[in-house]
Amino acid sequence: MIWSSEEVHRQLIRALDDAFDNLSRDPLFSDSWLNWLTVSGTKTQVRQTPMLGKGAGGRDVGGFFTFAAKYIEAEGSPKHAVDARCSFERYQDFAFYTGGNWEDGHKFPILIAECESSSGELLGELAGLISVRCPHKYLFIDGRDTLARLDAYCNDSAKQAYDWGRTIYHVIEIPNTPSRSSTWQAYVTTVNNTGDQLRFR
């Protein structure tokens, strides 16, 4: 990684804020957000667009894509590498990879994210994130008693809520009213040692 974990998070949230600022200029944006509408012709909800952009044909207006472009630019890699380094809605809603060659075993995820509108998917999505080895893991989701549910899940030894050392999780609640991502309620945990249990704060 060319950035520290703190800088990765700072740059990601900045990209999401910028995407929100741009997308919110649309006069229909607020009403579409409040009414849980999707982007025309896609399954992407408007409240997910600061992260995912406007579906398959409009990823470049979302914060995930612009974060990846900024990282690659700082890394000194060619601009055209952005598409090769990002994956949308394949195994995760978003995955950002190292620049190595996959066939040589040198390409692996360095940031993955899921975006869900149903709070009922919280624990299933968390379990999915646990199952992937990656240092930066994000879940953007509608919030309903999020911290209490995370604590109950992580305190249940049968759930095996532990991960590799130096893995950071951010669970971030998508609010019902449109606002910049930097203002959203977030819960974080850092796994310091391999095998440590997740503990959100």
Side-chain angles (χ1 to χ4, degrees):
M1 298 289 298
I2 61 164
W3 291 337
S4 67
S5 294
E6 294 78 15
E7 186 65 14
V8 167
H9 181 70
R10 189 169 26 257
Q11 292 287 351
L12 177 64
I13 296 301
R14 183 177 297 151
L16 300 183
D17 279 353
D18 290 346
F20 175 86
D21 291 344
N22 292 331
L23 291 162
S24 64
R25 292 186 183 118
D26 182 329
L28 301 177
F29 183 80
S30 290
D31 285 342
S32 297
W33 184 297
L34 292 167
N35 292 306
W36 297 81
L37 299 182
T38 58
V39 175
S40 180
T42 75
K43 295 180 179 179
T44 304
Q45 288 201 352
V46 169
R47 55 181 60 201
Q48 297 171 343
T49 58
M51 289 78 74
L52 294 170
K54 294 183 174 182
R59 297 290 185 210
D60 58 337
V61 299
F64 289 158
F65 188 92
T66 56
F67 162 82
K70 184 178 282 190
Y71 185 94
I72 291 168
E73 182 179 349
E75 197 177 49
S77 301
K79 286 273 190 191
H80 70 275
V82 177
D83 287 335
R85 300 271 298 272
C86 295
S87 172
F88 285 92
E89 299 183 80
R90 187 166 183 182
Y91 303 112
Q92 289 83 32
D93 287 333
F94 173 72
F96 180 57
Y97 296 91
T98 59
N101 186 310
W102 176 80
E103 293 170 344
D104 295 336
H106 295 165
K107 183 175 183 176
F108 51 88
I110 53 179
L111 187 151
I112 58 173
E114 296 288 354
C115 299
E116 302 300 335
S117 296
S118 169
S119 62
E121 297 186 34
L122 173 69
L123 303 181
E125 292 295 345
L126 178 64
L129 290 177
I130 291 169
S131 71
V132 179
R133 187 171 181 184
C134 177
H136 299 95
K137 300 180 180 185
Y138 284 82
L139 173 57
F140 295 85
I141 193 163
D142 178 55
R144 297 287 184 276
D145 302 317
T146 303
L147 186 58
R149 294 171 64 207
L150 289 171
D151 284 346
Y153 184 88
C154 294
N155 287 325
D156 182 345
S157 60
K159 304 298 186 199
Q160 300 183 28
Y162 51 81
D163 209 332
W164 295 87
R166 300 179 65 193
T167 302
I168 301 172
Y169 287 78
H170 293 269
V171 176
I172 302 174
E173 295 179 351
I174 304 172
N176 288 325
T177 55
S179 59
R180 300 177 98 216
S181 304
S182 57
T183 67
W184 299 356
Q185 180 65 51
Y187 307 96
V188 66
T189 186
T190 301
V191 181
N192 293 312
N193 303 298
T194 298
D196 282 355
Q197 205 163 23
L198 276 60
R199 295 277 184 250
F200 285 91
R201 60 187 189 282

